[in-house]
Amino acid sequence: MKIAVKKSILSANDRVAGENRARLDAAGVLAVNLMASPGAGKTSVILATAERLPVEVRPGVIEGDLASRIDADRVAGRGIPVVQINTGGGCHLDAPMVRSALAQLPLDAMEVLFIENVGNLICPAEFDLGAHLAVVIASAPEGHDKPYKYPGMFARADAVVLNKADLLDVFAFDLDDFRRGVALVNRKAPIFVLSCRTADGLGVWMDWMLDRQRDAAARGEQR
Amino acid sequence: MKIAVKKSILSANDRVAGENRARLDAAGVLAVNLMASPGAGKTSVILATAERLPVEVRPGVIEGDLASRIDADRVAGRGIPVVQINTGGGCHLDAPMVRSALAQLPLDAMEVLFIENVGNLICPAEFDLGAHLAVVIASAPEGHDKPYKYPGMFARADAVVLNKADLLDVFAFDLDDFRRGVALVNRKAPIFVLSCRTADGLGVWMDWMLDRQRDAAARGEQR
C-alpha cells in the first residue's frame, strides 16, 4: 500500500514535470536543478555563475527552502528575478511547486533558470522538476566520502560541482578518492572543482553550462 | 489517503520506539540520537566524546547510512562495539531498524549508546527511535542561517552542538545570529560550541551529556 501511493504520487509529479519542461523549451530557457547538502554553497554557486554570464544570457532563480526568504533576498539583492518556494517542512521540491513558481517568472526575459532545491542530499534526487540538468554540489568541508554514502544523488547527476575547493587542504580532502566514489555510480558526469570565494575553476563550469544553454536556446528558436 | 498512511507508519514506529526505550532503560543505557547535515562531523563528535568518557562509562554505537560501512569501520577501529545500518536509500533511521541493531549490541556492557542518524537535516527529526536525547550537530562551514532554514530539526533538539568552531572566522560565521535562530524555535536547548579537531569546548558538552548518563544509570538500578 505504501508503495502504491508513492508510485501514484511520482507519476503525477512526472506528468507536471513534463509540462514544465515543455514550457521551458518553448521559451528557450535552460533549467538547472541544483541539489546539495545544507550549506554546501548552492546560492553562492548561483550568484557567482549569474554575475559571469554574457549579457545576452539573462538569469532567473527559484529558491526552495523549508522556511525563510534568506536566499531569495540575497538573489533579489543582485537584481535577478527570483521566486521563493517554502515547502513548509517538505524535504524536497516537486514539479507542481516549480509550476507555480514558473507562472510568476518572466520566462521570455530569461535564458537560464537556476532552481535551488531544498538542502538535502537524498530525497530531491527522486523528483523530476522538469529541469534539463541535475547538478549536485558537494563541498570540501563535507569530506570526500559523500559519493560512497549518498550514491543515489551522485548517480543521477549530469554534473558534479565540488565547491569551497580553496579549503581542500584544511579539510584533508582526498580528491582522488572523491573522484573514484563518483565514478563508481556515474561514469558520465564531469566534476568541476571550484571555489566561489576565489573564483578558481568557475570558468570551466561556466563553459560547460553555457554549451547546454545554447542547445536550449536553439530548441526555443525551432518552435 | 497519503496522510492516513503516514500516520499509521508513524504510530507503528512510535510503538517500537517505546519498546526500544524500555529496553535501554532496563539496561541503564543512555541513548543519544545524533542528527546533522552530511559532513557536519557526527562520527567525529562520537569518537571525540567516546575517547574522553570515564572508564566506567562504556560506549556503543549504531551507524546509520544509506550505503557503505565507512563510519562503522572508523568506530570499530577504536575498539568500540558498533552496528552499521544501511537504509538502502532511505532518508532516516526508524525505530524498527534500531531494534534490530540493539539485538546485536552488548547492552549489559555499555552505559551510553550513540545513534548516528542518516545525514539529513530534515526527515530524521520526525522519527522517534527510542533514544533519550536528540542532539543536532551543526557546523561552521554550513553557515549561521541553518536554524532559520531548517526550523523543525532545531525545534526538536534537546541540545545543539556547533562543530568545527575553530573555523568560525574562516567562514564569517555569525554566532549571535545562529543563537538567535535556535532561540526562535527552541528556548531550552543548550548550544555547545566546540571543535573535534582542537578539542576546544568538548568538556562542557561532555559534562552535560554525562549528567544525563548518570540519570539513565539510576533508572537502570531501580529495575
Side-chain angles (χ1 to χ4, degrees), chain A residues 53-90:
Chain A
L53 291 172
V55 286
E56 69 274 17
V57 180
R58 294 164 295 178
V61 176
I62 296 174
E63 286 292 343
D65 282 293
L66 277 69
S68 90
R69 285 193 49 85
I70 296 171
D71 289 341
D73 289 345
R74 266 178 85 189
V75 173
R78 306 287 185 97
I80 300 169
V82 58
V83 173
Q84 175 81 52
I85 298 173
N86 281 154
T87 65

Side-chain angles (χ1 to χ4, degrees), chain B residues 38-117:
Chain B
K42 294 180 290 301
T43 313
S44 296
V45 168
I46 289 171
L47 293 177
T49 304
E51 72 182 22
R52 284 168 178 79
L53 290 172
V55 287
E56 68 274 16
V57 181
R58 294 164 295 178
V61 175
I62 296 174
E63 285 292 343
D65 281 294
L66 278 68
S68 90
R69 283 193 50 85
I70 296 170
D71 289 341
D73 289 346
R74 267 178 84 190
V75 172
R78 306 286 185 100
I80 300 168
V82 59
V83 174
Q84 176 81 52
I85 298 172
N86 281 153
T87 65
C91 55
H92 60 85
L93 293 183
D94 61 29
M97 293 176 193
V98 170
R99 178 174 56 188
S100 302
L102 289 181
Q104 303 171 59
L105 281 168
L107 293 185
D108 291 338
M110 287 166 40
E111 281 72 36
V112 60
L113 171 65
F114 300 105
I115 305 173
E116 179 174 335
N117 218 308

Side-chain angles (χ1 to χ4, degrees), chain B residues 3 21 27 38 57 70 76 89 107 111 118 122 129 135 143 171 182 187 219 221:
Chain B
I3 293 165
R21 195 175 290 108
V57 181
I70 296 170
L107 293 185
E111 281 72 36
V118 173
I122 309 166
L129 306 181
V135 175
F171 291 100
V182 174
R187 303 191 70 83
R219 276 196 299 273
E221 281 165 17

Side-chain angles (χ1 to χ4, degrees), chain A residues 71 119 141 149 164 170 197, chain B residues 71 119 141 149-150 164 170 197:
Chain A
D71 289 341
K149 290 182 173 175
K164 310 190 191 181
V170 174
R197 176 152 46 182
Chain B
D71 289 341
K149 290 181 172 176
Y150 303 86
K164 309 189 190 182
V170 173
R197 177 154 43 183

